[in-house]
């Protein structure tokens, strides 16, 4: 039954362009961004925490707090298909714990029209049950030099986690040291863990 919920071909950047990218724990960029949510001094994690007050957010806050603690002594973080969603969220929510840590992340390349020539997004599609609910999650990559990688190319990026901004949002970024083209994985999608 799971096979029927997956598309015949892998979703690509055209879907991301139509639906927008979700960075970290809860901010969508254009075309679905809500201008009232743009902040300059708050991280997206702080916005998400504010919105969760009085909800079941405490359970998730505790989970991400524990996850941040578990990674506090790890110098090199590998973000893969098993932990993609959780790690993007925890890095966003607890960005100060991760600044300067080495990171490796794999996904497909996506760029937005307003990005500089040294910026790109490494993204993955997340599905809860079927193609209709597919959401694009990604992390902003910034290089010291212009990046010449075509959209939808699968890459593994090595770099360091920083706090940056994009379109008025404060968010985690990766200052890249290396971008390596890789083959599309057998399972290109990521799924929530429901922990």
């Amino acid at each position: 039954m799971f096979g029927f919920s997956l598309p015949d071909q892998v979703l690509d950047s055209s879907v991301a362009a139509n639906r927008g990218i979700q960075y970290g724990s809860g901010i969508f960029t254009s075309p679905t961004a809500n201008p009232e949510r743009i902040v300059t001094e708050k991280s997206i994690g702080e916005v998400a925490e504010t919105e969760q007050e009085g909800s079941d957010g405490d359970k998730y806050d505790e989970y991400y707090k524990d996850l941040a603690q578990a990674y506090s002594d790890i110098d090199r973080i590998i973000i893969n298909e098993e932990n993609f969603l959780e790690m993007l969220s925890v890095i966003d929510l607890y960005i100060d714990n991760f600044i300067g840590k080495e990171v490796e992340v794999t996904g497909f390349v996506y760029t937005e029209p307003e990005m500089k020539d040294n910026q790109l997004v490494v993204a993955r599609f997340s599905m809860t049950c079927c193609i209709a609910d597919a959401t694009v999650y990604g992390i902003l990559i910034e290089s010291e030099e212009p990046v010449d990688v075509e959209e939808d190319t699968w890459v593994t990026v090595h770099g360091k986690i920083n706090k940056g901004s994009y379109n008025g949002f404060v968010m985690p970024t990766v200052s890249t040291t290396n971008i390596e083209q890789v083959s599309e994985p057998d399972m290109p999608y990521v799924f929530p863990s429901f922990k």
Side-chain angles (χ1 to χ4, degrees):
M1 190 158 115
F2 181 70
F4 291 113
S5 67
L6 296 177
D8 290 338
Q9 66 181 51
V10 176
L11 298 174
D12 61 16
S13 60
S14 64
V15 178
N18 290 330
R19 296 187 184 183
I21 292 274
Q22 182 163 330
Y23 292 94
S25 62
I27 293 294
F28 273 98
T29 62
S30 57
T32 57
N34 178 349
E36 294 176 3
R37 295 186 67 201
I38 294 178
V39 292
T40 54
E41 295 301 322
K42 283 188 175 182
S43 73
I44 40 186
E46 291 171 311
V47 172
E49 287 173 3
T50 301
E51 292 177 348
Q52 287 179 353
E53 287 177 8
S55 69
D56 291 333
D58 292 343
K59 177 177 77 170
Y60 295 105
D61 289 345
E62 193 64 33
Y63 170 71
Y64 288 122
K65 183 178 180 181
D66 292 345
L67 193 58
Q69 185 63 38
Y71 277 87
S72 65
D73 294 329
I74 297 174
D75 292 329
R76 184 170 176 263
I77 298 168
I78 298 175
I79 302 175
N80 55 33
E81 58 276 358
E82 282 108 29
N83 68 5
F84 193 88
L85 298 175
E86 287 81 9
M87 287 311 302
L88 290 191
S89 292
V90 76
I91 290 170
D92 170 48
L93 291 169
Y94 296 94
I95 180 62
D96 291 333
N97 294 18
F98 292 93
I99 292 173
K101 288 187 181 290
E102 292 184 16
V103 66
E104 175 185 309
V105 59
T106 299
F108 69 89
V109 171
Y110 172 72
T111 57
E112 295 184 335
E114 59 273 11
M115 285 184 170
K116 299 175 184 173
D117 62 3
N118 69 329
Q119 294 178 319
L120 58 87
V121 176
V122 170
R124 301 289 287 258
F125 278 93
S126 167
M127 284 192 283
T128 305
C129 70
C130 60
I131 191 68
D133 72 3
T135 303
V136 188
Y137 288 83
I139 189 163
L140 182 63
I141 310 298
E142 296 184 319
S143 175
E144 290 183 6
E145 299 177 0
V147 181
D148 186 22
V149 182
E150 290 186 22
E151 282 195 341
D152 300 318
T153 302
W154 282 82
V155 295
T156 295
V157 172
H158 302 266
K160 289 195 174 182
I161 298 171
N162 289 309
K163 185 186 290 186
S165 65
Y166 176 66
N167 278 354
F169 296 103
V170 176
M171 65 177 62
T173 62
V174 174
S175 297
T176 182
T177 55
N178 184 34
I179 299 176
E180 173 188 358
Q181 186 170 338
V182 297
S183 300
E184 180 183 305
D186 293 335
M187 176 48 71
Y189 307 105
V190 294
F191 302 90
S193 66
F194 296 110
K195 291 182 181 176

